[in-house]
Amino acid sequence: GSENPEDTLFNNLMEQGEVMADSGMTSKEIRFALYRTAAIFCFGHLGRGNRKELPTCVMSEIKDAFPA
């Protein structure tokens, strides 16, 4: 069967994060980039100054994978 969208998002984020880490980006820079990517996936482009909170599970997974 096919993966659900949340699993696909998580797998893509972790792959992107590993590539960023290999390029020398800091964990802080990686988290910021992954939060932005996840927000675009979840909500579409919101525009400057428009914010929505990401699901806690997404935030936790990113923080766990790329701690401060």
Side-chain angles (χ1 to χ4, degrees):
S2 63
E3 285 187 273
N4 70 42
E6 292 82 14
D7 288 341
T8 301
L9 171 62
F10 174 74
N11 291 336
N12 288 341
L13 289 174
M14 293 305 105
E15 287 175 16
Q16 286 181 23
E18 292 302 323
V19 169
M20 290 181 222
D22 290 343
S23 75
M25 290 176 70
T26 67
S27 288
K28 181 177 180 178
E29 293 168 328
I30 294 169
R31 284 193 310 277
F32 179 83
L34 295 182
Y35 293 149
R36 185 173 191 281
T37 300
I40 291 169
F41 179 87
C42 291
F43 309 117
H45 183 73
L46 297 173
R48 181 177 292 252
N50 295 316
R51 301 288 182 258
K52 287 191 178 181
E53 190 169 327
L54 288 170
T56 303
C57 59
V58 173
M59 299 286 292
S60 296
E61 291 291 344
I62 292 171
K63 287 178 185 176
D64 288 347
F66 301 97

